[in-house]
Amino acid sequence: MWKGQAKTIPDLDAYLRFEDTYAGYHIAEGRLLIKKLKEVYQKIPLSWEPLDFRSHSDGNVLWAAGVDPIILGPGRLEEAHNPEESVRFSQVVQAAQLYLDFALSLAGHSKGRKKV
C-alpha cells in the first residue's frame, strides 16, 4: 500500500500476487526468424545489436509456450511506458520500413518492394 493510501480509501483491502515470474529469454541466432531479421538489418542498413530480453512482457509467456517472440520497436526500452517516453518520427518511419521488409522476407518477396 502506498504511503497515505489508507486515509484516502478507508475500506481498501488489497492483495497483490504474481502467479508467474520469468527470467527472460534468449533466441539463438541460428533460428530462422533471427537469420531473416539480421538479413533485413543488413539491407536497410541498421546496426545489429541483439540483446536478451530481461523484462516482463507477453513474450515471456509465448517463449514458455515454444514460440520465438521478438521484441522490436523504435525508441529505447528503458524509456518506455513512462511520462517522459518519446520516439522521433524518423525512428517510427525506420521501424515501419523494417517491419515491411521483415514481413516480405518471411513471405519470400524480397524483390519489388517499395520504400515507405
Side-chain angles (χ1 to χ4, degrees):
M1 188 175 324
W2 293 291
K3 186 177 181 178
Q5 197 70 29
K7 294 178 185 176
T8 58
I9 309 175
D11 296 326
L12 179 67
D13 183 18
Y15 176 76
L16 175 65
R17 184 173 104 190
F18 293 97
E19 295 293 329
D20 298 307
T21 59
Y22 299 92
Y25 57 91
H26 171 82
I27 303 174
E29 287 208 30
R31 303 286 290 184
L32 178 62
L33 220 53
I34 301 303
K35 286 180 179 180
K36 291 285 190 179
L37 185 57
K38 189 173 182 179
E39 289 171 8
V40 170
Y41 263 73
Q42 291 168 342
K43 288 178 186 175
I44 286 187
L46 284 172
S47 62
W48 177 253
E49 300 173 19
L51 301 170
D52 290 351
F53 191 74
R54 303 231 183 262
S55 183
H56 182 73
S57 75
D58 292 339
N60 295 299
V61 177
L62 293 168
W63 176 256
V67 176
D68 289 347
I70 296 175
I71 310 295
L72 179 66
R76 297 173 47 89
L77 181 60
E78 58 272 11
E79 296 172 358
H81 310 303
N82 73 65
E84 301 300 318
E85 177 180 16
S86 66
V87 178
R88 291 189 319 270
F89 184 70
S90 62
Q91 290 177 311
V92 174
V93 171
Q94 187 178 51
Q97 186 67 58
L98 175 67
Y99 301 150
L100 175 62
D101 289 353
F102 186 43
L104 291 174
S105 77
L106 293 172
H109 296 76
S110 59
K111 295 181 181 179
R113 68 164 173 80
K114 292 183 178 180
K115 288 279 187 186
V116 175

